[in-house]
């Protein structure tokens, strides 16, 4: 019943970071066998949904130091500055590599790469492929990966457990979804690139698959997650669906208007309104500040009441049809399809929506985690370059830079390791038994997946939203413990093996509950306000106590415990974040 | 009680059933709901065993293609109210083997995609430190449309040729081959041409154009195939009038 296969490096996750890492392994040492496990076909990965662009210094009037400063101040001084420096330096080369692989970047009339402005960035440095940048990057990476024979794919496999030998990670157990067969896939090094966990919240831009699986796998294996309290709300999501309207809409000149048609961001220390976009000002302020301004505007009664709650308006009408078609065609397509309105002539209703998690698996600059043999990159990881608030267009580049770094590091590590032993099979057999006993062969469970999931999501929105308080977080911590207990009594309608998507949903819920607990515990312990983490009971930033990364680990009873690690400061001492000046 | 619509879905379990059957569910008819929302309603509230693929629910990941009342559609971009008062029938994508309920086996496409070498081929690669290959907006426009393919495979479900001849490379793979052929950075056109003429790729297409009609991203695979045929014919003639090897 149980299958075993062996590779040198195993990727879990086949999105932007995973595919970049896989190619890096193949190029670092062509003798290595690389495998990519993905619960979806790689080109379905959520990188596909990224719209606006990818940051990398290329303009003659730009500099690496300015990109560093924007990223560090944007992250409210929580990013590690050595990581940011490495990131910024390698960013243009990685984006150029993608150009060589065929990514259809937008161009200047003379054929050079075109860049656009983006939120929180003082210079124009965001490379873009219209407003489908993530889609084009992912398909370029996927199609390019097809030429590497060394890369084996396990499409539609769901990893349920990391295989461990004496504290060292040596592969994973995965379910082949088509057959339901459990397989042990051993490897000398494992890289986790499973992306974020936006689905722990009810209203998110994140695809259904963003359930924090890789974070949970790592957390259960004993490695800490870092800075999980920092959840990014993107200021412009469509109501009801949560579909993202890219920040590029504002970068191209869109206005944010309240119910009076007033550009309200001027009331929130973000600068004075000008007819055309001003960098690091107004609509091009950072996402955390814009989402917070929405809440304040709501409290003042100046938002618009819509069928799905309060909204403000994004106004693109003055950009004209030609510019919208050339630079923002997907925005128009999405508005026409899902809101039945044309942004060329009408206002777009928008509200803040959960978009990204700054936190993730604790890694060093090469993607290495504290567990031997385990690496991570992309949104699943936290190096950290994003700190308390990520700047738009840094994350796609992060997938490339740190995907490549993790790939190279894992390849070097794997090159000098002995192959894992067959004794790991026993662990895999145990895991297979667990899946059968807990889910597939179990009858009489009284709890429904969707019920628990909805309760978790509601808890997270109420307690860990744009503004949080100790009281609400305390309540959420208790509620999540309760949901963990109730999960023990889960019951499946589906007991078959072939393509049991309900089993996947149950395992995803288990991942999300663990990740949700880590978010709440980090948020509860951090008694200050910084970036995307705003505590109503501790409204100021406190560098004395909290210029530090939260590291959350799982205790024997499953509950989370938080400790702190210092932030690396190289050349930019902590200062006030200033926008609009 | 809100208004309801009958949603009829294909059920098939390879462990239990010899042939697929249809099961009907009553689902609330909400104006903002797409067909995928109805399927998720069934899965969450009524029968957790209903199996289907989905992810981004914004029409770009390409996971949720199914037949809706006989037409291939992205179910996340198809509104339920368009089918009121119902019933609306949801079936797995045509022309593919069914694995379970609404899930089809698509590995055939992935094999065909790899075969057309959908990556930039160059005689000599320049180092990234030397910067970009210049490409004007006009040069970008020549292939951009073909690069918009999300691999949703609605075109294969609509293609009468693929339905009859599974050897046919099919619309998406050919459009993607053409996407690279037309890219000013690429030098692999002849290599791809050789492969495609061997695998009786393009000659199977009779230009019925169903693929272009159903494409949710306006890729126009039929146009790509026509372009391709034209070039191939020219190459074929050239091989007669020019000495061997001097393409």
């Amino acid at each position: 019943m149980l299958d075993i296969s062996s590779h040198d490096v195993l990727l879990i996750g086949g999105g932007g970071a995973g595919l970049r890492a896989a190619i890096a392994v193949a190029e670092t040492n062509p003798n290595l066998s690389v495998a990519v496990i993905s619960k979806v076909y790689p080109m379905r990965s959520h990188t596909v949904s990224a719209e606006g662009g990818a940051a990398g210094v290329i303009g003659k009037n730009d500099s690496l130091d300015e990109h560093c400063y924007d990223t560090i101040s944007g992250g409210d001084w929580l990013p590690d500055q050595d990581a940011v420096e490495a990131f910024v330096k390698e960013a243009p080369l990685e984006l150029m590599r993608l150009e060589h692989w065929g990514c259809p970047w937008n161009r200047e009339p003379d054929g050079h790469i075109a860049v656009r402005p983006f939120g929180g960035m003082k210079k124009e440095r965001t490379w873009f492929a219209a407003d489908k940048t993530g889609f084009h990057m992912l398909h370029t990476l996927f199609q390019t990966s097809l030429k590497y024979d060394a890369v084996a794919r396990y499409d539609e496999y769901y990893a349920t457990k990391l295989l461990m030998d004496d504290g060292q990670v040596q592969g994973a157990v995965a379910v082949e979804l088509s057959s339901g067969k459990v397989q042990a896939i051993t490897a000398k090094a494992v890289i986790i690139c499973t992306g974020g966990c936006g689905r722990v919240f009810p209203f998110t831009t994140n695809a259904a698959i963003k359930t924090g699986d890789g974070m949970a796998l790592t957390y259960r294996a004993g490695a800490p997650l870092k800075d999980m309290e920092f959840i990014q709300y993107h200021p412009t999501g469509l109501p009801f669906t949560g579909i993202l309207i890219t920040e590029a809409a504002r970068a191209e000149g869109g206005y944010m208007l309240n119910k009076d048609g007033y550009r309200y961001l001027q009331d929130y220390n973000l600068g004075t309104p000008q007819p055309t976009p001003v960098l690091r000002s107004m609509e091009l302020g950072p996402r955390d500040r814009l989402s917070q301004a929405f809440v304040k505007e709501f409290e003042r009664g100046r938002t618009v009441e819509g069928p799905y709650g309060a909204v403000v308006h994004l106004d693109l009408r003055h950009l004209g049809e030609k510019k919208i078609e050339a630079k923002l065609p997907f925005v128009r397509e999405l508005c026409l399809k899902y809101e039945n309105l044309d942004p060329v002539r009408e206002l777009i209703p928008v509200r803040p929506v959960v978009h990204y998690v700054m936190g993730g698996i604790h890694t060093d600059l090469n993607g290495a985690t504290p567990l031997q043999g385990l690496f991570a990159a992309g949104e699943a990881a936290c190096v950290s370059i994003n700190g308390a608030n990520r700047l738009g267009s840094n994350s796609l580049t992060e997938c490339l830079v740190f995907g490549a770094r993790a790939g190279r590091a894992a390849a070097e590590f794997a090159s000098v390791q002995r192959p894992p032993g067959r004794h790991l099979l026993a662990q895999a057999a145990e895991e297979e038994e667990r899946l059968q006993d807990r889910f597939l062969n179990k009858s009489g469970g009284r709890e429904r997946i969707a019920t628990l999931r909805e309760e978790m999501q509601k808890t997270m929105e109420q307690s860990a939203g744009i503004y949080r308080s100790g009281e609400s977080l305390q309540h959420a911590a208790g509620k999540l413990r309760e949901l963990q207990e109730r999960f023990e009594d889960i019951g499946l309608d589906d007991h078959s093996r072939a393509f049991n998507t309900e089993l996947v949903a149950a395992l995803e819920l288990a991942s999300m509950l663990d990740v949700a607990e880590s978010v709440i515990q980090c948020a509860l312990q951090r008694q200050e306000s910084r970036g995307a983490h705003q505590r109503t009971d501790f409204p100021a930033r406190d560098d004395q106590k909290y210029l530090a990364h939260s590291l959350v680990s799982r205790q024997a009873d499953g509950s989370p415990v938080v400790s702190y690690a210092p932030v690396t400061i190289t050349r930019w001492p902590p200062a006030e974040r200033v926008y609009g000046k | 009680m809100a208004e309801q619509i009958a949603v009829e879905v294909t059920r098939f379990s390879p462990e239990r059933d010899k042939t697929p059957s249809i099961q009907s569910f009553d689902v609330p008819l909400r104006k903002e709901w797409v067909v995928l929302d109805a399927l998720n309603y069934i899965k969450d509230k009524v029968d957790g065993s209903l199996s289907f693929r989905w992810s981004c629910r914004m029409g770009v990941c390409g996971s949720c293609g199914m037949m809706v009342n006989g037409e291939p559609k992205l179910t996340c971009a198809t509104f339920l109210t368009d089918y009121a008062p119902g019933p609306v029938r949801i079936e797995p994508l045509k022309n593919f083997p069914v694995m379970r309920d609404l899930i089809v086996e698509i590995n055939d496409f992935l094999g065909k995609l790899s075969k057309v070498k959908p990556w930039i081929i160059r005689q000599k690669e320049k180092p990234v430190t030397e910067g970009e290959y210049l490409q004007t907006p006009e040069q970008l426009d020549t292939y951009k449309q073909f690069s918009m393919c999300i691999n949703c495979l609605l075109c294969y479900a609509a293609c009468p040729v693929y339905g009859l001849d599974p050897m046919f490379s099919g619309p998406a793979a050919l459009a993607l081959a053409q996407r690279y052929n037309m890219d000013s950075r690429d030098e692999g056109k002849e290599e791809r041409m050789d492969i495609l003429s061997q695998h009786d790729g393009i000659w199977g297409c009779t230009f019925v154009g169903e693929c272009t009609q159903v494409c949710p991203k306006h890729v126009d695979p039929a146009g790509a195939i026509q372009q391709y045929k034209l070039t191939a014919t020219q190459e074929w003639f050239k091989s007669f009038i020019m000495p061997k090897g001097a393409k």
Side-chain angles (χ1 to χ4, degrees):
Chain A
M1 184 73 189
L2 195 69
D3 279 351
I4 185 163
S5 58
S6 296
H7 299 276
D8 293 305
V9 180
L10 175 64
L11 272 297
I12 304 180
L19 292 173
R20 182 66 191 89
I23 295 173
V25 174
E27 294 199 328
T28 302
N29 182 347
N31 298 321
L32 296 179
S33 135
V34 196
V36 180
I37 300 183
S38 170
K39 65 175 172 175
V40 292
Y41 283 92
M43 71 282 189
R44 314 292 189 216
S45 305
H46 188 51
T47 306
V48 84
S49 298
E51 297 173 14
V57 169
I58 186 170
K60 285 190 179 61
N61 68 343
D62 198 0
S63 69
L64 299 181
D65 277 8
E66 284 173 282
H67 191 185
C68 285
Y69 180 77
D70 286 341
T71 301
I72 291 161
S73 57
D76 217 347
W77 271 271
L78 196 62
D80 283 318
Q81 297 183 5
D82 53 346
V84 174
E85 289 191 66
F87 164 71
V88 160
K89 187 171 166 218
E90 290 163 33
L93 289 175
E94 279 296 326
L95 294 172
M96 195 60 79
R97 201 174 316 276
L98 227 64
E99 194 281 325
H100 286 209
W101 286 342
C103 188
W105 298 116
N106 271 50
R107 304 287 179 149
E108 295 296 342
D110 67 359
H112 284 97
I113 296 292
V115 283
R116 68 170 25 142
F118 234 71
M121 300 275 193
K122 189 69 183 170
K123 291 286 163 64
E124 298 187 7
R125 59 172 76 99
T126 297
W127 303 37
F128 62 104
D131 53 358
K132 291 192 176 181
T133 309
F135 162 79
H136 284 299
M137 285 178 54
L138 182 67
H139 280 256
T140 300
L141 283 166
F142 177 63
Q143 289 163 10
T144 301
S145 78
L146 297 176
K147 75 177 174 185
Y148 294 89
D149 291 334
V151 180
R153 290 210 322 271
Y154 292 80
D155 295 340
E156 299 195 319
Y157 278 66
Y158 183 90
T160 67
K161 190 186 194 306
L162 294 175
L163 290 168
M164 304 278 293
D165 184 27
D166 196 19
Q168 185 164 341
V169 174
Q170 296 200 320
V173 181
V175 180
E176 181 186 40
L177 299 184
S178 63
S179 65
K181 264 168 76 172
V182 175
Q183 187 156 348
I185 305 173
T186 65
K188 297 170 191 167
V190 174
I191 313 178
I192 292 192
C193 300
T194 48
C197 59
R199 284 272 157 175
V200 298
F201 288 82
F203 187 64
T204 174
T205 61
N206 282 198
I209 55 175
K210 298 334 300 172
T211 51
D213 304 316
M215 294 173 184
L217 285 176
T218 306
Y219 183 60
R220 291 175 200 148
L225 305 179
K226 183 160 76 186
D227 295 339
M228 291 301 289
E229 62 272 46
F230 298 100
I231 302 287
Q232 178 163 81
Y233 276 76
H234 192 293
T236 59
L238 293 180
F240 180 67
T241 58
I243 289 173
L244 173 72
I245 298 301
T246 171
E247 191 163 296
R250 283 171 279 130
E252 297 296 342
Y255 301 148
M256 299 292 291
L257 305 176
N258 68 12
K259 75 175 167 72
D260 306 315
Y262 172 71
R263 289 175 71 185
Y264 61 92
L265 295 174
Q266 62 190 290
D267 296 350
Y268 299 96
N269 209 12
L270 284 157
T272 48
Q274 303 295 328
T276 52
V278 177
L279 294 154
R280 275 184 76 116
S281 174
M282 289 293 292
E283 283 85 358
L284 288 182
R287 291 175 178 172
D288 56 339
R289 298 279 298 274
L290 264 62
S291 292
Q292 289 152 20
F294 172 90
V295 177
K296 298 293 178 198
E297 209 51 15
F298 171 75
E299 287 168 0
R300 288 175 171 187
R302 302 202 301 191
T303 52
V304 182
E305 217 27 62
Y308 306 103
V311 295
V312 286
H313 286 130
L314 175 62
D315 186 1
L316 306 183
R317 295 171 301 178
H318 54 288
L319 302 182
E321 184 168 5
K322 201 171 158 222
K323 185 164 189 175
I324 290 174
E325 268 306 307
K327 300 283 186 66
L328 304 164
F330 197 33
V331 167
R332 193 179 188 193
E333 182 186 328
L334 291 169
C335 288
L336 284 166
K337 176 64 84 178
Y338 293 98
E339 291 292 323
N340 199 23
L341 67 84
D342 187 352
V344 171
R345 282 179 289 277
E346 293 160 276
L347 297 170
I348 309 171
V350 291
R351 54 167 291 196
V353 54
V354 167
H355 184 55
Y356 187 87
V357 54
M358 272 65 78
I361 299 163
H362 173 44
T363 75
D364 68 10
L365 267 59
N366 291 314
T369 73
L371 285 179
Q372 279 268 46
L374 186 68
F375 300 77
E379 189 175 345
C382 180
V383 183
S384 129
I385 63 156
N386 300 311
N389 172 63
R390 175 176 71 83
L391 292 189
S393 77
N394 268 352
S395 67
L396 282 176
T397 314
E398 178 180 7
C399 286
L400 299 175
V401 169
F402 291 101
R405 277 179 162 253
R408 289 191 295 264
E412 279 160 26
F413 180 85
S415 301
V416 295
Q417 294 293 310
R418 255 178 295 175
R422 290 190 65 85
H423 62 280
L424 292 170
L425 260 179
Q427 280 176 44
E430 209 174 285
E431 175 66 358
E432 183 180 33
E433 214 175 289
R434 181 185 79 95
L435 294 173
Q436 284 170 358
D437 294 350
R438 293 275 323 262
F439 303 106
L440 291 169
N441 296 344
K442 176 179 155 189
S443 55
R446 287 167 302 178
E447 294 286 355
R448 241 190 126 65
I449 295 169
T451 310
L452 297 189
R453 192 171 57 211
E454 280 161 23
E455 286 186 36
M456 170 196 68
Q457 290 172 333
K458 200 168 132 203
T459 303
M460 294 304 283
E461 184 169 67
Q462 285 171 350
S463 312
I466 297 172
Y467 286 94
R468 297 123 179 226
S469 72
E471 201 185 342
S472 72
L473 290 164
Q474 198 65 258
H475 167 79
K479 178 72 187 176
L480 289 171
R481 278 278 94 191
E482 174 208 312
L483 292 174
Q484 291 275 26
E485 279 165 30
R486 285 168 58 192
F487 184 81
E488 299 295 316
D489 195 20
I490 204 103
L492 265 52
D493 295 340
D494 193 349
H495 297 277
S496 58
R497 299 299 191 264
F499 242 110
N500 188 331
T501 50
E502 200 186 21
L503 171 65
V504 175
L507 296 168
E508 288 175 334
L509 175 59
S511 294
M512 289 193 286
L513 285 170
D514 281 353
V515 170
E517 282 202 291
S518 78
V519 171
I520 293 295
Q521 202 51 237
C522 288
L524 184 60
Q525 299 303 325
R526 185 176 287 274
Q527 298 184 339
E528 65 155 356
S529 290
R530 182 187 299 269
H533 173 71
Q534 294 292 314
R535 286 279 298 255
T536 52
D537 44 354
F538 297 95
R541 194 174 89 186
D542 181 355
D543 285 342
Q544 282 303 94
K545 281 176 79 176
Y546 294 105
L547 184 61
H549 298 295
S550 313
L551 291 178
V552 56
S553 303
R554 190 169 181 272
Q555 302 181 102
D557 69 349
S559 65
V561 60
V562 178
S563 62
Y564 292 92
V567 171
T568 305
I569 306 284
T570 58
R571 294 189 282 137
W572 295 272
E576 196 196 339
R577 292 171 81 196
V578 180
Y579 292 97
K581 284 181 190 130
Chain B
M1 194 67 189
E3 217 183 323
Q4 307 258 317
I5 185 168
V7 177
E8 303 172 347
V9 297
T10 302
R11 301 306 306 264
F12 175 70
S13 162
E15 293 153 51
R16 212 178 39 229
D17 308 324
K18 283 207 171 62
T19 51
S21 58
I22 295 287
Q23 188 177 4
S24 184
F25 296 91
D26 286 330
V27 170
L29 181 62
R30 298 196 179 136
K31 87 170 167 40
E32 65 278 10
W33 272 16
V34 290
V35 169
L36 179 63
D37 291 320
L39 297 178
N40 272 316
Y41 172 86
I42 296 168
K43 186 166 188 68
D44 286 351
K45 310 286 181 198
V46 189
D47 183 350
S49 72
L50 181 66
S51 291
F52 49 95
R53 293 189 181 107
W54 70 291
S55 182
C56 78
R57 55 92 175 84
M58 57 188 281
V60 70
C61 79
S63 304
C64 70
M66 297 168 211
M67 306 302 286
V68 181
N69 276 2
E71 285 178 283
K73 294 277 187 191
L74 289 180
T75 52
C76 76
T78 303
F79 284 83
L80 210 50
T81 46
D82 291 348
Y83 299 89
V88 56
R89 181 167 287 204
I90 320 297
E91 295 165 293
L93 275 186
K94 223 171 97 184
N95 296 338
F96 292 95
V98 180
M99 299 166 85
R100 168 92 196 258
D101 295 345
L102 298 163
I103 297 173
V104 295
E105 160 73 72
I106 65 165
N107 284 338
D108 180 53
F109 163 73
L110 283 154
K112 284 171 173 164
L113 178 65
S114 293
K115 213 172 262 175
V116 303
K117 303 196 175 185
W119 53 79
I120 294 280
I121 296 172
R122 290 191 63 85
Q123 308 304 326
K124 196 168 175 289
E125 170 73 20
K126 80 173 173 182
V128 287
T129 46
E130 287 176 24
E132 66 266 61
Y133 296 108
L134 295 182
Q135 183 169 69
T136 64
E138 292 73 30
Q139 287 173 318
L140 173 64
D141 279 344
T142 60
Y143 72 88
K144 180 93 192 198
Q145 185 179 19
F146 302 138
S147 76
M148 305 302 272
C149 172
I150 61 172
N151 302 180
C152 66
L153 308 183
L154 301 194
C155 54
Y156 285 74
C159 177
V161 183
Y162 184 66
L164 293 169
D165 176 12
M167 290 300 286
F168 178 45
S169 301
L174 290 171
L176 285 163
Q178 190 65 352
R179 171 252 175 276
Y180 284 95
N181 286 337
M182 302 291 283
D183 191 319
S184 57
R185 296 166 290 187
D186 181 76
E187 298 169 349
K189 193 171 172 177
E190 286 171 8
E191 216 173 298
R192 283 186 209 99
M193 194 67 74
D194 289 347
I195 299 160
L196 284 175
S197 51
Q198 277 165 26
H199 291 94
D200 92 296
I202 55 175
W203 306 106
C205 172
T206 51
F207 196 45
V208 275
E210 260 97 343
C211 51
T212 294
Q213 281 173 32
V214 299
C215 178
K217 299 290 143 181
H218 313 295
V219 170
D220 189 17
I225 295 169
Q226 285 316 100
Q227 276 185 12
Y228 219 74
K229 276 183 172 174
L230 193 65
T231 327
T233 310
Q234 284 164 351
E235 293 292 319
W236 185 75
F237 274 113
K238 259 196 264 173
S239 70
F240 279 95
I241 53 176
M242 307 214 358
K244 232 180 157 41
K247 285 183 195 172

